[in-house]
Amino acid sequence: MTSNRLSDQLAYDPNNLLDSLIEKLNLKNDAALSRALEVAPPVISKIRHRRLPVGASLLIRMHEVSDLSIRDLRILMGDRRDKFRISDKQFKPKDGVESHE
């Protein structure tokens, strides 16, 4: 049985991503990185300790401040998936809601 928990994924390494961003942006520490990304310092800490995944909005913000591509950022954190699966349920209207086309 395979686990999808972040802490169980050997290739997933958010520290490499965070450390690479600190180096690229010439920052001193995680606190400076949190200011550059405009997130609270505990967010960086939780990502570093694998208690919080790097979400899409944060990944986009990392791209904006670093000029690294989303693909490069994902590679830095060990995410080498080519495609992302989105549930078809996300595109279905809720029951009782009529379409106004």
Side-chain angles (χ1 to χ4, degrees), residues 5 9 19 30 38 42 61 69 71 94 97 100-101:
R5 288 185 45 205
Q9 295 178 11
D19 292 341
D30 286 354
E38 299 176 359
R61 183 69 184 139
S69 71
R71 176 180 221 100
K94 293 180 182 174
V97 176
H100 299 287
E101 294 179 18

Side-chain angles (χ1 to χ4, degrees), residues 33-61:
L33 180 60
S34 72
R35 287 189 294 274
L37 296 175
E38 299 176 359
V39 297
V43 171
I44 301 298
S45 177
K46 287 177 183 176
I47 290 170
R48 201 171 274 287
H49 292 97
R50 298 182 185 208
R51 290 192 305 260
L52 183 70
V54 178
S57 59
L58 184 56
L59 198 60
I60 290 169
R61 183 69 184 139

Side-chain angles (χ1 to χ4, degrees), residues 22-23 25-33 35:
I22 287 171
E23 185 177 335
L25 300 173
N26 296 315
L27 302 173
K28 291 189 176 193
N29 52 34
D30 286 354
L33 180 60
R35 287 189 294 274

Side-chain angles (χ1 to χ4, degrees), residues 17 20-21 24-25 54 56 58-79 84:
L17 171 63
S20 296
L21 284 171
K24 176 154 179 58
L25 300 173
V54 178
L58 184 56
L59 198 60
I60 290 169
R61 183 69 184 139
M62 290 174 174
H63 160 69
E64 291 171 347
V65 300
S66 71
D67 286 329
L68 290 170
S69 71
I70 298 293
R71 176 180 221 100
D72 289 343
L73 292 167
R74 288 178 48 226
I75 288 170
L76 283 170
M77 73 175 155
D79 184 356
F84 293 95

Side-chain angles (χ1 to χ4, degrees), residues 84-91:
F84 293 95
R85 305 275 185 240
I86 298 176
S87 168
D88 61 342
K89 291 180 183 177
Q90 292 176 325
F91 299 108

